[in-house]
Amino acid sequence: MNAPSRESLKGVDLLSEINRLKKERNAVILAHYYQKPEIQDLADFVGDSLELSKRAAETDADVIAFCGVKFMAETAKILSPQKTVILPDLAAGCSLEDACPPGKFKAFRDAHPDHIALTYINCSAEVKALSDIIVTSSSAETILAQIPLDQKIIFGPDRHLGGYLSRKFNRDMLLWPGVCIVHEAFSETELLKLKAQYPGVPVAAHPECPPHIIDHADYVGSTSGILQFARTLTGDTLIVATEPHIIHQMEKSEPSKKFIGAPGADGNCACNICPYMALNTMEKLYLALRDLQPQITLDEEIRLAAKRSLDRMLEMASGTIGKGDLGRA
Ligand code: SF4
């Protein structure tokens, strides 16, 4: 079926149609914290990428509509192979995924046979399948702390998260040179101006930020961690150095507090809005639920290998794996 033009959707009540199709398809709608507010507000679950995939796997839904980016929808498919997983726009990628093509990653691994690959979840299913242990920004510290000090490590694809861990644990790792274009765009000069304007106001930053931003942060953590920090904040104002759409959840949870997005290069650009996440719209979500396209499909061998490295993370994060089991997969 040809998708109707945007024009022909005029007059369609997108919210009620999405809700009708959700019931008809027995679908669960997931929204990442970096999605537009209208998508966050209609979702069944809002959260970070792994948390969303785990929540969806626990439901009896036949369809997962993942409003996020492709590697996140792939993670949902890895955990729920029997469910149909749709992504409103298949072009919703990620600069970290783009920076780490599986062929180059495999060649790098092969060149360092004595290293294990500790890989950030922001990568393709193929790269997950080539890795030993996946980490999230929430679980990375717990997992790194369990790896013996004499074990050599490749960390990819985010060199800023890897560098942050390396500095915090005083541990050398071979860092893959990828960056998140959104967190890379925060400006230290503009952040210092903002801090001068709001003296004493804390800064919460995601570890995908470069070190010159992390150095000014009072709290460094994952999206869920930053949200929790905002909830427990005793003051009434917070500067937030991550993708600004997360502020929607902060304002819903803490309406009496003020949240200020950290600035980009000219102090007023939209460069900290993730352009990939922004590709998902209400129109595309409606069409995806109606046509069950675009769908995420994975080669079963890759899915199983990727699941093995994800399972290792889940076991290590919950303390159910022995240190003797931590070798190269
Ligand atoms: S915010 Fe950065 S890491 Fe997240 S999807 Fe966008 S480009 Fe990728």
Side-chain angles (χ1 to χ4, degrees):
M1 182 192 303
N2 287 332
S5 69
R6 192 171 273 255
E7 196 60 27
S8 68
L9 291 182
K10 263 191 179 166
V12 175
D13 181 342
L14 290 169
L15 183 56
S16 25
E17 280 300 292
I18 287 168
N19 283 325
R20 179 183 68 76
L21 286 166
K22 186 177 87 164
K23 280 198 193 110
E24 201 174 294
R25 299 294 195 191
N26 186 28
V28 60
I29 300 178
L30 311 178
H32 189 268
Y33 289 128
Y34 298 167
Q35 289 291 288
K36 298 174 177 87
E38 67 262 32
I39 293 182
Q40 293 189 34
D41 288 346
L42 64 77
D44 296 293
F45 301 113
V46 182
D48 63 29
S49 63
L50 183 64
E51 176 194 346
L52 288 173
S53 292
K54 283 163 67 181
R55 297 287 291 271
E58 288 160 7
T59 69
D60 62 3
D62 296 313
V63 175
I64 298 173
F66 207 126
C67 300
V69 297
K70 188 167 166 235
F71 79 80
M72 298 176 180
E74 284 184 346
T75 304
K77 187 70 180 173
I78 291 166
L79 297 186
S80 299
Q82 75 290 0
K83 297 189 199 304
T84 299
V85 179
I86 51 176
L87 180 68
D89 191 324
L90 210 50
C94 170
S95 63
L96 286 169
E97 178 181 346
D98 292 348
C100 192
K104 281 192 178 165
F105 187 71
K106 181 174 184 320
F108 191 68
R109 287 224 62 186
D110 290 347
H112 299 92
D114 53 346
H115 287 61
I116 62 166
L118 202 60
T119 307
Y120 189 32
I121 196 164
N122 296 27
C123 63
S124 65
E126 287 90 342
V127 168
K128 287 183 178 71
L130 290 165
S131 301
D132 297 300
I133 309 165
I134 299 302
V135 299
T136 60
S137 44
S138 307
S139 66
E141 294 189 23
T142 308
I143 287 168
L144 187 56
Q146 295 174 57
I147 299 179
L149 289 174
D150 58 356
Q151 174 61 63
K152 295 176 181 168
I153 299 172
I154 292 169
F155 187 94
D158 185 353
R159 71 181 165 92
H160 290 321
L161 174 59
Y164 169 73
L165 293 166
S166 192
R167 289 190 299 281
K168 183 155 183 179
F169 285 80
N170 192 22
R171 190 157 182 178
D172 278 340
M173 296 192 285
L174 281 180
L175 303 182
W176 189 267
V179 294
C180 162
I181 51 168
V182 170
H183 291 86
E184 177 84 343
F186 289 115
S187 157
E188 181 182 25
T189 309
E190 295 300 325
L191 179 60
L192 288 175
K193 280 191 211 164
L194 192 64
K195 278 173 71 85
Q197 205 183 326
Y198 292 93
V201 165
V203 176
H206 195 282
E208 286 172 20
C209 291
H212 56 257
I213 298 296
I214 297 282
D215 286 349
H216 301 291
D218 300 274
Y219 174 81
V220 179
S222 64
T223 45
S224 304
I226 292 175
L227 196 51
Q228 188 56 22
F229 183 75
R231 287 183 176 132
T232 53
L233 186 72
T234 48
D236 61 2
T237 310
L238 178 67
I239 297 172
V240 180
T242 190
E243 215 273 3
H245 284 110
I246 196 174
I247 290 176
H248 182 58
Q249 290 301 317
M250 293 176 176
E251 288 174 341
K252 280 176 86 166
S253 165
E254 304 296 315
S256 63
K257 295 178 186 169
K258 181 179 167 91
F259 301 104
I260 307 167
D266 70 0
N268 198 24
C269 66
C271 46
N272 302 114
I273 291 177
C274 176
Y276 306 101
M277 294 274 184
L279 289 174
N280 294 324
T281 61
M282 296 279 280
E283 287 86 353
K284 291 177 192 169
L285 174 58
Y286 161 74
L287 292 172
L289 281 165
R290 192 197 67 181
D291 301 341
L292 289 184
Q293 292 290 340
Q295 277 189 31
I296 299 293
T297 55
L298 292 175
D299 174 271
E300 185 61 3
E301 202 177 319
I302 288 174
R303 188 191 73 79
L304 288 173
K307 184 168 185 304
R308 184 209 58 224
S309 59
L310 271 169
D311 285 345
R312 274 190 146 191
M313 170 186 71
L314 297 173
E315 288 160 8
M316 289 178 77
S318 63
T320 57
I321 193 167
K323 285 196 176 172
D325 300 326
L326 295 181
R328 196 168 160 133

